[in-house]
């Protein structure tokens, strides 16, 4: 991967990776750190990364960086409420968007990541399997279960708008 190809990859995918990570972590500063570390790792390994696979490589590295951060935070047992500091937009959230985010955050880390990769980012099952180091059948099963949980939460009478 050349310097120009790396810069093109940054321009094309930085926002997508950030959006994916911040949706999972719900903390902007941690998400920025994860994205920065991911691009740094890609830069260090640029000789090994094929330009055609830079998006997949980037999301894989970011996903693993995010998982490492989550595990580290669990060990340290941070007690900060990250959800109160999340401000991805300056405008107030619409009720439907707020409800969808609540439903999404009720999923475990793996399920949330799979939903975001498939439904928000548009990855195929095969690509998601590579990124998350799961088998294709595991991806399908976990994604199916996550969607059922989302549906069950969203159709509760108190959540229907």
């Amino acid at each position: 991967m050349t310097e120009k190809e790396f810069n093109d990859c940054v321009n094309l995918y930085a926002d997508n990776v950030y959006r994916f990570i911040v949706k999972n972590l719900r903390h902007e500063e941690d998400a920025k750190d994860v994205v920065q570390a991911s691009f740094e790792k890609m830069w260090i390994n640029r000789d090994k990364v094929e330009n055609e696979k830079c998006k997949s490589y980037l999301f894989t590295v970011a996903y693993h960086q995010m998982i490492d951060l989550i595990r580290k935070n669990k060990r340290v047992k941070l007690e900060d409420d990250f959800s109160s500091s999340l401000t991805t937009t300056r405008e107030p959230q619409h009720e439907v968007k707020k409800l969808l985010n609540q439903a999404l955050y009720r999923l475990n880390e793996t399920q949330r990541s799979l939903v975001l990769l498939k439904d928000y980012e548009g990855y195929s099952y095969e690509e998601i399997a590579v990124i998350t180091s799961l088998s294709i059948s595991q991806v399908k099963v976990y994604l199916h279960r996550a969607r059922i949980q989302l549906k069950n939460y969203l159709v509760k009478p108190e959540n229907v708008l």
Side-chain angles (χ1 to χ4, degrees), residues 4 11 45 47 49 60 74 77-78 80 90 113 118 121 128 137 139 141 146-147 157:
K4 182 188 180 323
N11 292 333
N45 296 312
D47 295 336
V49 178
T60 302
K74 281 184 180 178
K77 297 188 186 215
L78 292 175
D80 294 337
R90 298 282 187 235
S113 295
K118 180 69 175 158
E121 299 299 331
I128 295 171
S137 51
V139 169
V141 169
R147 288 175 175 160

Side-chain angles (χ1 to χ4, degrees), residues 19-73:
R19 184 176 57 243
F20 169 66
I21 299 298
V22 81
K23 280 276 193 188
N24 275 287
L25 293 179
R26 296 181 275 171
H27 190 264
E28 290 181 348
E29 294 305 315
D30 285 346
K32 289 177 184 176
D33 291 344
V34 167
V35 172
Q36 180 66 34
S38 301
F39 278 113
E40 180 181 356
K41 198 169 210 174
M42 189 167 83
W43 176 255
I44 291 168
N45 296 312
R46 68 187 178 277
D47 295 336
K48 302 171 191 167
V49 178
E50 296 175 30
N51 187 45
E52 300 80 33
K53 297 183 179 181
C54 72
K55 181 179 178 185
S56 178
Y57 179 86
L58 184 60
F59 270 87
T60 302
V61 170
Y63 175 79
H64 290 291
Q65 293 278 342
M66 177 188 72
I67 295 300
D68 289 345
L69 179 68
I70 290 169
R71 288 179 181 154
K72 177 184 166 193
N73 287 345

Side-chain angles (χ1 to χ4, degrees), residues 3 18 41 55 59 65 102 149 153 160:
E3 185 176 338
Y18 174 75
K41 198 169 210 174
K55 181 179 178 185
F59 270 87
Q65 293 278 342
Q102 287 172 352
Q149 278 186 282
Y153 180 77
V160 176

Side-chain angles (χ1 to χ4, degrees), residues 26 81-87:
R26 296 181 275 171
D81 182 16
F82 292 133
S83 63
S84 65
S85 65
L86 177 65
T87 54

